[in-house]
Amino acid sequence: MLALLLGAPAASAHGGPIVLEVVGDGSHGVNVVATWKKDRHPVRDIVIGTVVATSTDSRSFGPLQLVSAPEGQNLYRIAQPLPTGTWRVTVTTTEPAETQKTVNVVARDITAAPESQQATGAPTGPADMTLTIVVAVGIAAAAVIGVAAGMHLLRGKRPGSTEPR
């Protein structure tokens, strides 16, 4: 019972300001990752926000709603793709905390790699490198979680006993 009570403050540690990481997706999209400023944990609450963009040639786009991305709990994207161009993108959130972040994003069409590069599987540019990095980080994270879980299980057993402490 005491362990449950001592674990409760860690669960309620979230709250307060959030931090937004805003980046273009390499094409016409904008991705937003929300984390708690205090502990940098993912914001699992629903993030409500809008995006407004102004191009270098004075066109405006938005406001657009942020929508939850299927790839992660704290990952959001814009509801519609940006038109081609260089944009100054401002993301403003109202829930779970008010915050604002402005970045420059280039929206462009992604061209297919020449067949010779596709056949060899050679990386074709920054998007391929980003995917490679994301996959490598995911595999490393899974390995760390597996090792941590194994250590936790081993710590719970007495030497020569099958019962937890």
Side-chain angles (χ1 to χ4, degrees):
M1 186 71 161
L2 184 59
L4 289 175
L5 291 175
L6 291 176
S12 63
H14 298 301
I18 63 173
V19 175
L20 301 175
E21 181 181 342
V22 181
V23 295
D25 69 357
S27 181
H28 292 274
V30 174
N31 293 326
V32 179
V33 176
T35 56
W36 294 107
K37 184 175 184 178
K38 184 176 182 180
D39 59 13
R40 293 294 192 180
H41 289 164
V43 174
R44 297 186 196 277
D45 301 353
I46 294 173
V47 174
I48 299 173
T50 57
V51 177
V52 176
T54 305
S55 70
T56 53
D57 61 0
S58 300
R59 294 177 289 156
S60 62
F61 191 71
L64 300 170
Q65 292 295 315
L66 282 178
V67 294
S68 181
E71 293 87 2
Q73 290 182 346
N74 65 327
L75 178 61
Y76 292 81
R77 59 176 54 141
I78 58 174
Q80 297 173 1
L82 286 172
T84 300
T86 301
W87 297 89
R88 186 162 175 81
V89 175
T90 300
V91 178
T92 305
T93 64
T94 56
E95 292 291 332
E98 292 183 12
T99 192
Q100 189 174 67
K101 177 81 179 244
T102 301
V103 299
N104 292 326
V105 172
V106 176
R108 61 178 176 231
D109 292 330
I110 298 176
T111 57
E115 287 185 34
S116 61
Q117 283 185 341
Q118 289 179 359
T120 63
T124 58
D128 287 336
M129 291 305 295
T130 300
L131 180 60
T132 302
I133 291 169
V134 168
V135 169
V137 168
I139 291 170
V144 168
I145 290 170
V147 169
M151 290 177 64
H152 178 71
L153 289 173
L154 289 175
R155 270 194 228 135
K157 305 227 183 232
R158 287 188 216 149
S161 171
T162 59
E163 295 181 18
R165 292 181 186 178

